[in-house]
Amino acid sequence: MPATFSHHFDTPLYNEKATIQTGLFINGVFVDGLNHSTIDVINPSTGKTITQVSEGTAKDVDRAVEAARNAFNTSWGLKVPGATRGQFLYKLATLMEESLDEIAAIESLDNGTAFGVVKGWVVPFSIGLIRYYAGWADKISGQVIETDEGRLTYTRHEPIGVVGQIIPWNAPLLMFAMKIAPALAAGNTIVIKPSELTPLSALRVCSLVQEAGFPPGVLNVVVGYGNTVGSAISSHMDIDKIAFTGSTLTGRKVMEAASKSNLKNITLELGGKSPNIIFNDADVDQAVNWACHGIFFAQGQICFAGSRIYVQSGIYDEFLAKFTARSKMHKIGDPFGADSYQGPQISSTQTERVMGYIKSGVDQGAKVHLGGQRHGEQNGNFITPTIFTNTTPDMKIVQEEIFGPVSVVIKFEDQQDVIQQANDTIYGLAAAVFTQNITQAFEVGHALKAGTVWVNCYNEVSAAVPFGGFKQSGIGREYGSYALEHYVNVKAMHINIGHKME
């Protein structure tokens, strides 16, 4: 039997006990991995072990897929009306809402994002996603298509089958909800791999899946490493579709494995190097506030972080001074601190990676205008908000995704110049434009090669609005009705009611 982990949170913001099942969740129950090995879950704030969870292997993926296939054929998919699937999802959302503070505390402990941010936005948004797709479950339909009076022609949107999903560590609960909700609403069953760095919130939600009464095998969670569980999911011959969120490098590997196995349907939400463009006529104070939110939210560990900040020359000095002052105000520290805004990077490996990019910026001649250092203990995972100036387009800090609290502030002169610079990237996930000129907003927004463009705001997302990238930022869309399109097969039915073959 897998172990149960209990933790008492003794903090000013949350003072309760949380209990988490640490096994794999397969066929509706928590089980040990077949190898009976475990993975240490590390607190990113302290570097100490929180607990151990069961380690899955390729054989565990096999039994999870078998459970998912059986559920799809017998108790989910086309065997269950959409309204019933919606009721299950709505019940899950309600149970999560009842446990909101506990789930938020688990997420902050495991991931390092400030408790106030997780409680105030991450968990409510995740619950909202599940509730949104609960409403969609009985509204997925095809079309009746007129051809001629002797034929009835229509389409059916049928669930694909068993879906494999792989999610990252940067926003574990949100990623979990984002992936499972549309897939389940559309009638698919799931085998999902959370990051081995941050599995706890997904495992806690699995207990609520049990409580909500989902049929066994509909949702299966296998925690494990990418080169074992992730690889097994990507190449499994009985998984019909794969949805992956993570780096572009890993996305290529997932895509290759999916194509070499059974040519799986695939959705990829990958990296970004998003431009944030601020024109002379922008409200500078608001642009500063949104720019800070765009790059430093969640320690800069978000795929659409506004890490390339382009400021027109007429307000460059004013913006840089105010942006610097605002960045200095961010309190870095314990995620459960009363006024903490920025927590730790997820791991020592990620911290070293970010510090390596900072060093490369210095080595290539950029100026560290602010920060560029670890915060606190040298063996900690906290990094000060960092601003680079005097950059050139070929620098690594301008071209590559850093995934940390590191920004570059770049001066530009005119609209065509900044559009060219903004689009000079392999990525195309998101972008922002700050201007009071509505014509300029439309022209620049339309010219930017990005899946999302914000105007006079940043990091604004909605369950109903599609999200995804251009270029090497991915394939497909999350959120809204657009996400559902990736979880159904469209079948055309041609029924002859009057024509005879002579």
PDB file of all heavy atoms in Angstrom, residues 103 106-108 110-113 118 122 126 167-180 192-203 205 301 346:
ATOM      1  N   ILE A 103      -5.481  23.192  -0.903  1.00  0.00           N
ATOM      2  CA  ILE A 103      -4.827  22.953  -2.188  1.00  0.00           C
ATOM      3  C   ILE A 103      -3.809  24.051  -2.481  1.00  0.00           C
ATOM      4  O   ILE A 103      -2.700  23.783  -2.971  1.00  0.00           O
ATOM      5  CB  ILE A 103      -5.868  22.857  -3.317  1.00  0.00           C
ATOM      6  CG1 ILE A 103      -6.744  21.614  -3.113  1.00  0.00           C
ATOM      7  CG2 ILE A 103      -5.194  22.801  -4.682  1.00  0.00           C
ATOM      8  CD1 ILE A 103      -7.941  21.559  -4.054  1.00  0.00           C
ATOM      9  N   ILE A 106      -0.668  23.423  -0.409  1.00  0.00           N
ATOM     10  CA  ILE A 106       0.108  22.317  -0.976  1.00  0.00           C
ATOM     11  C   ILE A 106       0.876  22.788  -2.206  1.00  0.00           C
ATOM     12  O   ILE A 106       2.066  22.486  -2.383  1.00  0.00           O
ATOM     13  CB  ILE A 106      -0.825  21.139  -1.333  1.00  0.00           C
ATOM     14  CG1 ILE A 106      -1.381  20.495  -0.061  1.00  0.00           C
ATOM     15  CG2 ILE A 106      -0.095  20.101  -2.189  1.00  0.00           C
ATOM     16  CD1 ILE A 106      -2.518  19.528  -0.316  1.00  0.00           C
ATOM     17  N   GLU A 107       0.213  23.563  -3.052  1.00  0.00           N
ATOM     18  CA  GLU A 107       0.849  24.073  -4.272  1.00  0.00           C
ATOM     19  C   GLU A 107       2.023  24.993  -3.944  1.00  0.00           C
ATOM     20  O   GLU A 107       3.090  24.908  -4.556  1.00  0.00           O
ATOM     21  CB  GLU A 107      -0.188  24.814  -5.118  1.00  0.00           C
ATOM     22  CG  GLU A 107       0.312  25.306  -6.451  1.00  0.00           C
ATOM     23  CD  GLU A 107       0.195  24.276  -7.561  1.00  0.00           C
ATOM     24  OE1 GLU A 107       0.152  23.072  -7.252  1.00  0.00           O
ATOM     25  OE2 GLU A 107       0.168  24.671  -8.731  1.00  0.00           O
ATOM     26  N   SER A 108       1.839  25.881  -2.975  1.00  0.00           N
ATOM     27  CA  SER A 108       2.914  26.807  -2.606  1.00  0.00           C
ATOM     28  C   SER A 108       4.096  26.070  -1.986  1.00  0.00           C
ATOM     29  O   SER A 108       5.255  26.399  -2.254  1.00  0.00           O
ATOM     30  CB  SER A 108       2.390  27.864  -1.628  1.00  0.00           C
ATOM     31  OG  SER A 108       1.499  28.743  -2.272  1.00  0.00           O
ATOM     32  N   ASP A 110       5.004  23.011  -2.571  1.00  0.00           N
ATOM     33  CA  ASP A 110       5.606  22.146  -3.581  1.00  0.00           C
ATOM     34  C   ASP A 110       6.302  22.930  -4.692  1.00  0.00           C
ATOM     35  O   ASP A 110       7.340  22.525  -5.200  1.00  0.00           O
ATOM     36  CB  ASP A 110       4.490  21.285  -4.182  1.00  0.00           C
ATOM     37  CG  ASP A 110       4.994  20.052  -4.894  1.00  0.00           C
ATOM     38  OD1 ASP A 110       6.152  19.675  -4.683  1.00  0.00           O
ATOM     39  OD2 ASP A 110       4.210  19.447  -5.646  1.00  0.00           O
ATOM     40  N   ASN A 111       5.713  24.086  -5.036  1.00  0.00           N
ATOM     41  CA  ASN A 111       6.147  24.825  -6.218  1.00  0.00           C
ATOM     42  C   ASN A 111       6.901  26.115  -5.896  1.00  0.00           C
ATOM     43  O   ASN A 111       7.701  26.587  -6.691  1.00  0.00           O
ATOM     44  CB  ASN A 111       4.922  25.140  -7.091  1.00  0.00           C
ATOM     45  CG  ASN A 111       5.158  26.161  -8.172  1.00  0.00           C
ATOM     46  OD1 ASN A 111       4.823  27.325  -8.005  1.00  0.00           O
ATOM     47  ND2 ASN A 111       5.731  25.737  -9.282  1.00  0.00           N
ATOM     48  N   GLY A 112       6.634  26.710  -4.729  1.00  0.00           N
ATOM     49  CA  GLY A 112       7.354  27.909  -4.317  1.00  0.00           C
ATOM     50  C   GLY A 112       6.711  29.226  -4.673  1.00  0.00           C
ATOM     51  O   GLY A 112       7.207  30.278  -4.278  1.00  0.00           O
ATOM     52  N   THR A 113       5.606  29.203  -5.418  1.00  0.00           N
ATOM     53  CA  THR A 113       4.910  30.447  -5.724  1.00  0.00           C
ATOM     54  C   THR A 113       4.213  30.964  -4.467  1.00  0.00           C
ATOM     55  O   THR A 113       3.696  30.187  -3.667  1.00  0.00           O
ATOM     56  CB  THR A 113       3.886  30.222  -6.857  1.00  0.00           C
ATOM     57  OG1 THR A 113       4.591  29.808  -8.037  1.00  0.00           O
ATOM     58  CG2 THR A 113       3.112  31.496  -7.168  1.00  0.00           C
ATOM     59  N   VAL A 118      -1.227  32.044  -5.240  1.00  0.00           N
ATOM     60  CA  VAL A 118      -1.852  30.758  -5.529  1.00  0.00           C
ATOM     61  C   VAL A 118      -3.299  30.742  -5.041  1.00  0.00           C
ATOM     62  O   VAL A 118      -4.208  30.310  -5.763  1.00  0.00           O
ATOM     63  CB  VAL A 118      -1.050  29.612  -4.885  1.00  0.00           C
ATOM     64  CG1 VAL A 118      -1.729  28.273  -5.154  1.00  0.00           C
ATOM     65  CG2 VAL A 118       0.375  29.588  -5.428  1.00  0.00           C
ATOM     66  N   VAL A 122      -4.328  31.299  -8.797  1.00  0.00           N
ATOM     67  CA  VAL A 122      -4.042  30.013  -9.439  1.00  0.00           C
ATOM     68  C   VAL A 122      -5.140  28.987  -9.174  1.00  0.00           C
ATOM     69  O   VAL A 122      -5.672  28.366 -10.103  1.00  0.00           O
ATOM     70  CB  VAL A 122      -2.678  29.461  -8.983  1.00  0.00           C
ATOM     71  CG1 VAL A 122      -2.454  28.062  -9.552  1.00  0.00           C
ATOM     72  CG2 VAL A 122      -1.544  30.392  -9.418  1.00  0.00           C
ATOM     73  N   SER A 126      -8.008  27.622 -11.793  1.00  0.00           N
ATOM     74  CA  SER A 126      -8.040  26.190 -12.112  1.00  0.00           C
ATOM     75  C   SER A 126      -9.435  25.614 -11.894  1.00  0.00           C
ATOM     76  O   SER A 126      -9.936  24.825 -12.718  1.00  0.00           O
ATOM     77  CB  SER A 126      -7.017  25.446 -11.245  1.00  0.00           C
ATOM     78  OG  SER A 126      -5.709  25.952 -11.448  1.00  0.00           O
ATOM     79  N   ILE A 167       2.702  17.324 -18.184  1.00  0.00           N
ATOM     80  CA  ILE A 167       2.648  18.721 -17.760  1.00  0.00           C
ATOM     81  C   ILE A 167       3.904  19.104 -16.981  1.00  0.00           C
ATOM     82  O   ILE A 167       4.568  18.251 -16.390  1.00  0.00           O
ATOM     83  CB  ILE A 167       1.382  19.015 -16.934  1.00  0.00           C
ATOM     84  CG1 ILE A 167       1.291  18.101 -15.704  1.00  0.00           C
ATOM     85  CG2 ILE A 167       0.139  18.875 -17.800  1.00  0.00           C
ATOM     86  CD1 ILE A 167       0.125  18.404 -14.781  1.00  0.00           C
ATOM     87  N   PRO A 168       4.230  20.405 -16.947  1.00  0.00           N
ATOM     88  CA  PRO A 168       5.467  20.879 -16.324  1.00  0.00           C
ATOM     89  C   PRO A 168       5.265  21.264 -14.862  1.00  0.00           C
ATOM     90  O   PRO A 168       4.174  21.150 -14.297  1.00  0.00           O
ATOM     91  CB  PRO A 168       5.816  22.100 -17.169  1.00  0.00           C
ATOM     92  CG  PRO A 168       4.474  22.669 -17.525  1.00  0.00           C
ATOM     93  CD  PRO A 168       3.553  21.489 -17.699  1.00  0.00           C
ATOM     94  N   TRP A 169       6.338  21.820 -14.279  1.00  0.00           N
ATOM     95  CA  TRP A 169       6.379  22.126 -12.859  1.00  0.00           C
ATOM     96  C   TRP A 169       6.048  23.571 -12.533  1.00  0.00           C
ATOM     97  O   TRP A 169       5.892  23.932 -11.378  1.00  0.00           O
ATOM     98  CB  TRP A 169       7.769  21.823 -12.291  1.00  0.00           C
ATOM     99  CG  TRP A 169       8.922  22.308 -13.126  1.00  0.00           C
ATOM    100  CD1 TRP A 169       9.713  21.545 -13.947  1.00  0.00           C
ATOM    101  CD2 TRP A 169       9.416  23.654 -13.253  1.00  0.00           C
ATOM    102  NE1 TRP A 169      10.657  22.325 -14.573  1.00  0.00           N
ATOM    103  CE2 TRP A 169      10.503  23.634 -14.154  1.00  0.00           C
ATOM    104  CE3 TRP A 169       9.055  24.877 -12.679  1.00  0.00           C
ATOM    105  CZ2 TRP A 169      11.225  24.766 -14.501  1.00  0.00           C
ATOM    106  CZ3 TRP A 169       9.761  26.027 -13.033  1.00  0.00           C
ATOM    107  CH2 TRP A 169      10.833  25.958 -13.922  1.00  0.00           C
ATOM    108  N   ASN A 170       5.929  24.438 -13.524  1.00  0.00           N
ATOM    109  CA  ASN A 170       5.871  25.871 -13.211  1.00  0.00           C
ATOM    110  C   ASN A 170       4.518  26.321 -12.663  1.00  0.00           C
ATOM    111  O   ASN A 170       4.451  27.264 -11.883  1.00  0.00           O
ATOM    112  CB  ASN A 170       6.257  26.707 -14.437  1.00  0.00           C
ATOM    113  CG  ASN A 170       5.335  26.485 -15.605  1.00  0.00           C
ATOM    114  OD1 ASN A 170       4.955  25.358 -15.925  1.00  0.00           O
ATOM    115  ND2 ASN A 170       4.957  27.553 -16.277  1.00  0.00           N
ATOM    116  N   ALA A 171       3.426  25.674 -13.059  1.00  0.00           N
ATOM    117  CA  ALA A 171       2.102  25.980 -12.522  1.00  0.00           C
ATOM    118  C   ALA A 171       1.330  24.660 -12.471  1.00  0.00           C
ATOM    119  O   ALA A 171       0.396  24.437 -13.244  1.00  0.00           O
ATOM    120  CB  ALA A 171       1.384  27.002 -13.385  1.00  0.00           C
ATOM    121  N   PRO A 172       1.735  23.764 -11.593  1.00  0.00           N
ATOM    122  CA  PRO A 172       1.270  22.371 -11.673  1.00  0.00           C
ATOM    123  C   PRO A 172      -0.241  22.182 -11.601  1.00  0.00           C
ATOM    124  O   PRO A 172      -0.807  21.406 -12.384  1.00  0.00           O
ATOM    125  CB  PRO A 172       1.987  21.677 -10.513  1.00  0.00           C
ATOM    126  CG  PRO A 172       2.586  22.750  -9.683  1.00  0.00           C
ATOM    127  CD  PRO A 172       2.757  23.944 -10.546  1.00  0.00           C
ATOM    128  N   LEU A 173      -0.918  22.869 -10.689  1.00  0.00           N
ATOM    129  CA  LEU A 173      -2.363  22.676 -10.584  1.00  0.00           C
ATOM    130  C   LEU A 173      -3.079  23.237 -11.798  1.00  0.00           C
ATOM    131  O   LEU A 173      -3.983  22.593 -12.359  1.00  0.00           O
ATOM    132  CB  LEU A 173      -2.895  23.345  -9.314  1.00  0.00           C
ATOM    133  CG  LEU A 173      -4.404  23.198  -9.123  1.00  0.00           C
ATOM    134  CD1 LEU A 173      -4.754  21.758  -8.778  1.00  0.00           C
ATOM    135  CD2 LEU A 173      -4.932  24.145  -8.069  1.00  0.00           C
ATOM    136  N   LEU A 174      -2.698  24.431 -12.231  1.00  0.00           N
ATOM    137  CA  LEU A 174      -3.322  25.034 -13.400  1.00  0.00           C
ATOM    138  C   LEU A 174      -3.121  24.159 -14.633  1.00  0.00           C
ATOM    139  O   LEU A 174      -4.046  23.936 -15.415  1.00  0.00           O
ATOM    140  CB  LEU A 174      -2.747  26.429 -13.622  1.00  0.00           C
ATOM    141  CG  LEU A 174      -3.448  27.333 -14.649  1.00  0.00           C
ATOM    142  CD1 LEU A 174      -3.180  28.790 -14.324  1.00  0.00           C
ATOM    143  CD2 LEU A 174      -2.987  27.035 -16.067  1.00  0.00           C
ATOM    144  N   MET A 175      -1.898  23.649 -14.808  1.00  0.00           N
ATOM    145  CA  MET A 175      -1.620  22.787 -15.954  1.00  0.00           C
ATOM    146  C   MET A 175      -2.447  21.508 -15.897  1.00  0.00           C
ATOM    147  O   MET A 175      -2.940  21.009 -16.919  1.00  0.00           O
ATOM    148  CB  MET A 175      -0.130  22.440 -16.005  1.00  0.00           C
ATOM    149  CG  MET A 175       0.770  23.619 -16.247  1.00  0.00           C
ATOM    150  SD  MET A 175       0.529  24.304 -17.900  1.00  0.00           S
ATOM    151  CE  MET A 175       1.223  25.934 -17.667  1.00  0.00           C
ATOM    152  N   PHE A 176      -2.615  20.968 -14.699  1.00  0.00           N
ATOM    153  CA  PHE A 176      -3.411  19.755 -14.510  1.00  0.00           C
ATOM    154  C   PHE A 176      -4.855  20.022 -14.928  1.00  0.00           C
ATOM    155  O   PHE A 176      -5.440  19.262 -15.718  1.00  0.00           O
ATOM    156  CB  PHE A 176      -3.327  19.333 -13.046  1.00  0.00           C
ATOM    157  CG  PHE A 176      -3.939  18.003 -12.730  1.00  0.00           C
ATOM    158  CD1 PHE A 176      -3.315  16.823 -13.095  1.00  0.00           C
ATOM    159  CD2 PHE A 176      -5.146  17.935 -12.037  1.00  0.00           C
ATOM    160  CE1 PHE A 176      -3.879  15.590 -12.783  1.00  0.00           C
ATOM    161  CE2 PHE A 176      -5.718  16.711 -11.723  1.00  0.00           C
ATOM    162  CZ  PHE A 176      -5.084  15.542 -12.094  1.00  0.00           C
ATOM    163  N   ALA A 177      -5.425  21.116 -14.425  1.00  0.00           N
ATOM    164  CA  ALA A 177      -6.806  21.446 -14.763  1.00  0.00           C
ATOM    165  C   ALA A 177      -6.958  21.759 -16.244  1.00  0.00           C
ATOM    166  O   ALA A 177      -7.930  21.344 -16.896  1.00  0.00           O
ATOM    167  CB  ALA A 177      -7.265  22.636 -13.922  1.00  0.00           C
ATOM    168  N   MET A 178      -6.009  22.497 -16.795  1.00  0.00           N
ATOM    169  CA  MET A 178      -6.045  22.902 -18.193  1.00  0.00           C
ATOM    170  C   MET A 178      -6.058  21.698 -19.130  1.00  0.00           C
ATOM    171  O   MET A 178      -6.708  21.715 -20.180  1.00  0.00           O
ATOM    172  CB  MET A 178      -4.832  23.782 -18.490  1.00  0.00           C
ATOM    173  CG  MET A 178      -4.709  24.280 -19.906  1.00  0.00           C
ATOM    174  SD  MET A 178      -3.264  25.357 -20.109  1.00  0.00           S
ATOM    175  CE  MET A 178      -1.933  24.150 -20.201  1.00  0.00           C
ATOM    176  N   LYS A 179      -5.355  20.655 -18.730  1.00  0.00           N
ATOM    177  CA  LYS A 179      -5.272  19.472 -19.581  1.00  0.00           C
ATOM    178  C   LYS A 179      -6.463  18.531 -19.395  1.00  0.00           C
ATOM    179  O   LYS A 179      -7.058  18.058 -20.361  1.00  0.00           O
ATOM    180  CB  LYS A 179      -3.971  18.717 -19.284  1.00  0.00           C
ATOM    181  CG  LYS A 179      -2.727  19.395 -19.858  1.00  0.00           C
ATOM    182  CD  LYS A 179      -2.680  19.299 -21.367  1.00  0.00           C
ATOM    183  CE  LYS A 179      -1.368  19.749 -21.954  1.00  0.00           C
ATOM    184  NZ  LYS A 179      -1.203  21.185 -22.048  1.00  0.00           N
ATOM    185  N   ILE A 180      -6.812  18.238 -18.138  1.00  0.00           N
ATOM    186  CA  ILE A 180      -7.835  17.196 -17.940  1.00  0.00           C
ATOM    187  C   ILE A 180      -9.236  17.679 -18.280  1.00  0.00           C
ATOM    188  O   ILE A 180     -10.068  16.893 -18.759  1.00  0.00           O
ATOM    189  CB  ILE A 180      -7.802  16.619 -16.506  1.00  0.00           C
ATOM    190  CG1 ILE A 180      -8.296  17.644 -15.475  1.00  0.00           C
ATOM    191  CG2 ILE A 180      -6.408  16.091 -16.165  1.00  0.00           C
ATOM    192  CD1 ILE A 180      -8.553  17.048 -14.092  1.00  0.00           C
ATOM    193  N   ILE A 192      -2.047  10.810 -17.271  1.00  0.00           N
ATOM    194  CA  ILE A 192      -1.312  12.072 -17.196  1.00  0.00           C
ATOM    195  C   ILE A 192      -0.092  11.931 -16.303  1.00  0.00           C
ATOM    196  O   ILE A 192      -0.148  11.271 -15.263  1.00  0.00           O
ATOM    197  CB  ILE A 192      -2.225  13.225 -16.710  1.00  0.00           C
ATOM    198  CG1 ILE A 192      -1.488  14.572 -16.754  1.00  0.00           C
ATOM    199  CG2 ILE A 192      -2.805  12.944 -15.332  1.00  0.00           C
ATOM    200  CD1 ILE A 192      -2.397  15.778 -16.548  1.00  0.00           C
ATOM    201  N   LYS A 193       1.008  12.549 -16.739  1.00  0.00           N
ATOM    202  CA  LYS A 193       2.243  12.591 -15.942  1.00  0.00           C
ATOM    203  C   LYS A 193       2.481  14.003 -15.441  1.00  0.00           C
ATOM    204  O   LYS A 193       2.843  14.887 -16.208  1.00  0.00           O
ATOM    205  CB  LYS A 193       3.455  12.156 -16.774  1.00  0.00           C
ATOM    206  CG  LYS A 193       4.734  12.038 -15.936  1.00  0.00           C
ATOM    207  CD  LYS A 193       5.998  11.953 -16.790  1.00  0.00           C
ATOM    208  CE  LYS A 193       6.663  13.288 -16.952  1.00  0.00           C
ATOM    209  NZ  LYS A 193       7.210  13.866 -15.687  1.00  0.00           N
ATOM    210  N   PRO A 194       2.287  14.243 -14.137  1.00  0.00           N
ATOM    211  CA  PRO A 194       2.735  15.526 -13.583  1.00  0.00           C
ATOM    212  C   PRO A 194       4.261  15.541 -13.514  1.00  0.00           C
ATOM    213  O   PRO A 194       4.912  14.495 -13.572  1.00  0.00           O
ATOM    214  CB  PRO A 194       2.130  15.548 -12.175  1.00  0.00           C
ATOM    215  CG  PRO A 194       1.263  14.339 -12.064  1.00  0.00           C
ATOM    216  CD  PRO A 194       1.703  13.383 -13.115  1.00  0.00           C
ATOM    217  N   SER A 195       4.819  16.721 -13.358  1.00  0.00           N
ATOM    218  CA  SER A 195       6.262  16.795 -13.153  1.00  0.00           C
ATOM    219  C   SER A 195       6.634  16.084 -11.867  1.00  0.00           C
ATOM    220  O   SER A 195       5.950  16.215 -10.843  1.00  0.00           O
ATOM    221  CB  SER A 195       6.721  18.251 -13.087  1.00  0.00           C
ATOM    222  OG  SER A 195       8.067  18.327 -12.658  1.00  0.00           O
ATOM    223  N   GLU A 196       7.738  15.356 -11.913  1.00  0.00           N
ATOM    224  CA  GLU A 196       8.238  14.696 -10.699  1.00  0.00           C
ATOM    225  C   GLU A 196       8.688  15.706  -9.649  1.00  0.00           C
ATOM    226  O   GLU A 196       8.828  15.361  -8.468  1.00  0.00           O
ATOM    227  CB  GLU A 196       9.393  13.762 -11.055  1.00  0.00           C
ATOM    228  CG  GLU A 196      10.681  14.423 -11.526  1.00  0.00           C
ATOM    229  CD  GLU A 196      10.673  14.824 -12.990  1.00  0.00           C
ATOM    230  OE1 GLU A 196       9.613  14.693 -13.661  1.00  0.00           O
ATOM    231  OE2 GLU A 196      11.730  15.270 -13.490  1.00  0.00           O
ATOM    232  N   LEU A 197       8.886  16.965 -10.071  1.00  0.00           N
ATOM    233  CA  LEU A 197       9.277  18.011  -9.112  1.00  0.00           C
ATOM    234  C   LEU A 197       8.084  18.527  -8.315  1.00  0.00           C
ATOM    235  O   LEU A 197       8.256  18.986  -7.180  1.00  0.00           O
ATOM    236  CB  LEU A 197       9.943  19.175  -9.843  1.00  0.00           C
ATOM    237  CG  LEU A 197      11.238  18.873 -10.599  1.00  0.00           C
ATOM    238  CD1 LEU A 197      11.737  20.124 -11.304  1.00  0.00           C
ATOM    239  CD2 LEU A 197      12.298  18.329  -9.670  1.00  0.00           C
ATOM    240  N   THR A 198       6.899  18.478  -8.912  1.00  0.00           N
ATOM    241  CA  THR A 198       5.723  19.107  -8.282  1.00  0.00           C
ATOM    242  C   THR A 198       4.473  18.242  -8.443  1.00  0.00           C
ATOM    243  O   THR A 198       3.484  18.676  -9.053  1.00  0.00           O
ATOM    244  CB  THR A 198       5.470  20.488  -8.903  1.00  0.00           C
ATOM    245  OG1 THR A 198       5.362  20.330 -10.334  1.00  0.00           O
ATOM    246  CG2 THR A 198       6.572  21.474  -8.576  1.00  0.00           C
ATOM    247  N   PRO A 199       4.435  17.048  -7.869  1.00  0.00           N
ATOM    248  CA  PRO A 199       3.284  16.173  -8.089  1.00  0.00           C
ATOM    249  C   PRO A 199       2.165  16.297  -7.056  1.00  0.00           C
ATOM    250  O   PRO A 199       1.112  15.686  -7.213  1.00  0.00           O
ATOM    251  CB  PRO A 199       3.920  14.786  -7.988  1.00  0.00           C
ATOM    252  CG  PRO A 199       4.986  14.961  -6.944  1.00  0.00           C
ATOM    253  CD  PRO A 199       5.523  16.365  -7.152  1.00  0.00           C
ATOM    254  N   LEU A 200       2.377  17.072  -5.980  1.00  0.00           N
ATOM    255  CA  LEU A 200       1.505  16.936  -4.813  1.00  0.00           C
ATOM    256  C   LEU A 200       0.085  17.452  -5.034  1.00  0.00           C
ATOM    257  O   LEU A 200      -0.881  16.836  -4.570  1.00  0.00           O
ATOM    258  CB  LEU A 200       2.144  17.622  -3.608  1.00  0.00           C
ATOM    259  CG  LEU A 200       3.497  17.050  -3.156  1.00  0.00           C
ATOM    260  CD1 LEU A 200       3.981  17.750  -1.891  1.00  0.00           C
ATOM    261  CD2 LEU A 200       3.407  15.539  -2.930  1.00  0.00           C
ATOM    262  N   SER A 201      -0.079  18.580  -5.716  1.00  0.00           N
ATOM    263  CA  SER A 201      -1.441  19.098  -5.900  1.00  0.00           C
ATOM    264  C   SER A 201      -2.260  18.162  -6.790  1.00  0.00           C
ATOM    265  O   SER A 201      -3.463  17.964  -6.544  1.00  0.00           O
ATOM    266  CB  SER A 201      -1.419  20.516  -6.471  1.00  0.00           C
ATOM    267  OG  SER A 201      -0.725  20.575  -7.694  1.00  0.00           O
ATOM    268  N   ALA A 202      -1.649  17.573  -7.810  1.00  0.00           N
ATOM    269  CA  ALA A 202      -2.376  16.629  -8.665  1.00  0.00           C
ATOM    270  C   ALA A 202      -2.824  15.414  -7.866  1.00  0.00           C
ATOM    271  O   ALA A 202      -3.954  14.931  -8.020  1.00  0.00           O
ATOM    272  CB  ALA A 202      -1.497  16.201  -9.842  1.00  0.00           C
ATOM    273  N   LEU A 203      -1.949  14.913  -7.002  1.00  0.00           N
ATOM    274  CA  LEU A 203      -2.314  13.757  -6.186  1.00  0.00           C
ATOM    275  C   LEU A 203      -3.426  14.100  -5.199  1.00  0.00           C
ATOM    276  O   LEU A 203      -4.314  13.278  -4.936  1.00  0.00           O
ATOM    277  CB  LEU A 203      -1.079  13.229  -5.448  1.00  0.00           C
ATOM    278  CG  LEU A 203       0.012  12.636  -6.344  1.00  0.00           C
ATOM    279  CD1 LEU A 203       1.237  12.248  -5.513  1.00  0.00           C
ATOM    280  CD2 LEU A 203      -0.513  11.410  -7.101  1.00  0.00           C
ATOM    281  N   VAL A 205      -5.779  16.303  -5.724  1.00  0.00           N
ATOM    282  CA  VAL A 205      -7.006  16.382  -6.504  1.00  0.00           C
ATOM    283  C   VAL A 205      -7.522  14.990  -6.863  1.00  0.00           C
ATOM    284  O   VAL A 205      -8.736  14.777  -6.960  1.00  0.00           O
ATOM    285  CB  VAL A 205      -6.802  17.253  -7.757  1.00  0.00           C
ATOM    286  CG1 VAL A 205      -8.010  17.186  -8.692  1.00  0.00           C
ATOM    287  CG2 VAL A 205      -6.533  18.700  -7.364  1.00  0.00           C
ATOM    288  N   GLN A 301       8.782  32.266 -14.099  1.00  0.00           N
ATOM    289  CA  GLN A 301       8.707  30.880 -14.567  1.00  0.00           C
ATOM    290  C   GLN A 301       7.377  30.624 -15.276  1.00  0.00           C
ATOM    291  O   GLN A 301       6.644  29.693 -14.944  1.00  0.00           O
ATOM    292  CB  GLN A 301       8.907  29.920 -13.402  1.00  0.00           C
ATOM    293  CG  GLN A 301      10.297  30.021 -12.775  1.00  0.00           C
ATOM    294  CD  GLN A 301      10.478  29.139 -11.555  1.00  0.00           C
ATOM    295  OE1 GLN A 301      11.585  28.687 -11.261  1.00  0.00           O
ATOM    296  NE2 GLN A 301       9.414  28.886 -10.810  1.00  0.00           N
ATOM    297  N   ILE A 346      12.345  26.892  -8.989  1.00  0.00           N
ATOM    298  CA  ILE A 346      11.825  25.577  -8.633  1.00  0.00           C
ATOM    299  C   ILE A 346      12.882  24.642  -8.059  1.00  0.00           C
ATOM    300  O   ILE A 346      12.576  23.772  -7.243  1.00  0.00           O
ATOM    301  CB  ILE A 346      11.145  24.917  -9.854  1.00  0.00           C
ATOM    302  CG1 ILE A 346      10.417  23.634  -9.443  1.00  0.00           C
ATOM    303  CG2 ILE A 346      12.168  24.624 -10.948  1.00  0.00           C
ATOM    304  CD1 ILE A 346       9.293  23.842  -8.468  1.00  0.00           C
TER     305      ILE A 346
END
